[in-house]
Amino acid sequence: MMQVKLAAPWLECDLGAPHRVLSWAPHRPGYQTARHILWRQVRNADLPADLDVGAWLALEMAGRDAVCLLTSRDIAFHQIARATVEGVTAQALATVGLSNAEAVGARADRTGRDWDKLLPSYGTINIAVQLSLPLSDTGLLEALSIATQARTAAIVAAGHRVPGGAIATGTGTDCIAVAAPLGAEHYAGLHTAQGEAIGRAVFDAVAQGAADWQATIGPQSEG
């Protein structure tokens, strides 16, 4: 399963071999074949208002054959969780920041908030999931939906409130990537071993990341 290496500003998830990967990552989104999923940590100076972020990230990724996510959450605070159900193993790597949290179906009113001050603690929720069971592209799509459910369940359980008082369900810039060997299995729903393993691993990684953020950054950034 995945090997994780921290070399700031990069966090590298090595899947051990090329996998089919599905994500909405800013670099190489959609269906891809890749061995690595990377995080690139950013700060204010990296992303001025007039920057073409896609072009900038492509240059940063030159020579790296990988899917890449962006976050301003300190990547040293990454969480890894693993679950095995009926011989199927899922492993999740997550970084969690909640300063731009949202409740689904609404957008919080952040008028007057000092985003330049907040950005160093801004973060987002980024997740990579590796499944041992080979999946078809259809199965990978369902796996992504299960990982998304688990992310939301963990954030709701954390009880973080957005401006206005609603319970957060995620952030405005979350990204999830799921990876599995290419195969013929079309199903990864909640009734399956693979769905249970994905859900448990993602929930545990995100829950721990949310708890860490709330214990350290949360009280200062929401004041």
Side-chain angles (χ1 to χ4, degrees):
M1 298 298 287
M2 68 172 66
Q3 298 294 315
V4 177
K5 182 174 75 173
L6 175 63
W10 299 98
L11 179 65
E12 177 182 307
C13 170
D14 182 349
L15 303 172
H19 281 52
R20 195 69 166 153
V21 180
L22 177 61
S23 77
W24 61 92
H27 184 75
R28 294 190 67 196
Y31 286 101
Q32 301 287 341
T33 299
R35 173 171 172 163
H36 298 92
I37 301 171
L38 302 182
W39 273 241
R40 174 57 159 91
Q41 184 177 336
V42 294
R43 287 293 181 259
N44 300 44
D46 297 319
L47 305 177
D50 60 348
L51 180 71
D52 182 335
V53 176
W56 171 83
L57 185 56
L59 287 174
E60 289 285 300
M61 289 294 295
R64 299 174 183 263
D65 183 17
V67 172
C68 186
L69 319 176
L70 287 176
T71 187
S72 62
R73 177 66 167 126
D74 185 343
I75 54 175
F77 291 92
H78 60 274
Q79 306 295 331
I80 303 170
R82 182 181 179 123
T84 299
V85 179
E86 298 173 11
V88 178
T89 298
Q91 192 166 341
L93 169 65
T95 55
V96 180
L98 295 174
S99 291
N100 67 334
E102 295 282 8
V104 68
R107 288 180 291 169
D109 181 4
R110 292 184 168 88
T111 304
R113 302 192 84 194
D114 188 347
W115 292 112
D116 286 339
K117 183 178 178 181
L118 278 176
L119 192 56
S121 63
Y122 200 42
T124 188
I125 302 169
N126 281 343
I127 305 165
V129 187
Q130 182 182 16
L131 188 70
S132 64
L133 181 72
L135 295 177
S136 69
D137 281 353
T138 300
L140 203 61
L141 183 61
E142 189 168 28
L144 182 61
S145 80
I146 301 303
T148 304
Q149 286 188 56
R151 178 280 320 270
T152 301
I155 296 304
V156 169
H160 180 76
R161 294 188 181 273
V162 303
I167 295 290
T169 58
T171 83
T173 50
D174 289 356
C175 190
I176 303 173
V178 293
L182 182 61
E185 178 56 62
H186 295 315
Y187 302 104
L190 294 176
H191 289 312
T192 68
Q194 51 270 30
E196 181 181 348
I198 292 167
R200 188 186 307 167
V202 172
F203 184 97
D204 288 350
V206 174
Q208 184 57 60
D212 284 354
W213 187 90
Q214 289 172 320
T216 54
I217 293 171
Q220 293 84 30
S221 66
E222 293 300 312

